[in-house]
Amino acid sequence: MISQTYYLVRSRADGQYLVARPHRSEGDRTPADPGFLLLFQEHADALSYLNTHAKELADRFAVETTSGNQLGGVLKRWGFTGIGMVQDPLLPKVEFLMR
């Protein structure tokens, strides 16, 4: 995992990363969980995900490359719960890993 290259989706407007957050109940007033950072194994998978699930917003996002070495710093800096490794961008099928 350390030497591999990963692809992240990031907002062009505010720099926020694309994340998955667990469901919360309607009455829950606790602050939102920072969520799981979504990782893609291929640049094309990240683009497919955007075009399939947010076609009208896809031009507002950019795909960013990161290495496994840099990933720990990103998780710590943004306080993410863990990562969500996208296995199939079309369904989507995501494997969640806590740090």
Side-chain angles (χ1 to χ4, degrees):
M1 188 169 190
I2 291 176
S3 65
Q4 191 167 353
T5 300
Y6 298 101
Y7 300 90
L8 312 169
V9 176
R10 196 168 197 179
S11 168
R12 293 179 195 264
D14 63 6
Q16 296 279 333
Y17 287 103
L18 185 63
V19 299
R21 290 192 173 91
H23 289 286
R24 293 178 29 187
S25 63
E26 277 187 42
D28 191 356
R29 300 275 184 218
T30 59
D33 185 291
F36 291 84
L37 178 64
L38 290 180
L39 295 180
F40 299 86
Q41 295 181 21
E42 299 291 334
H43 187 272
D45 288 346
L47 294 175
S48 293
Y49 184 89
L50 285 173
N51 288 327
T52 301
H53 304 289
K55 191 173 193 169
E56 64 282 352
L57 302 174
D59 62 334
R60 298 182 188 179
F61 293 90
V63 178
E64 187 176 282
T65 305
T66 190
S67 70
N69 292 333
Q70 297 169 317
L71 197 53
V74 171
L75 292 172
K76 184 182 270 187
R77 188 174 327 113
W78 288 79
F80 293 120
T81 303
I83 62 169
M85 181 63 70
V86 179
Q87 303 296 325
D88 185 341
L90 302 178
L91 292 178
K93 181 179 177 189
V94 181
E95 181 180 344
F96 293 100
L97 304 166
M98 295 186 71
R99 59 178 183 121

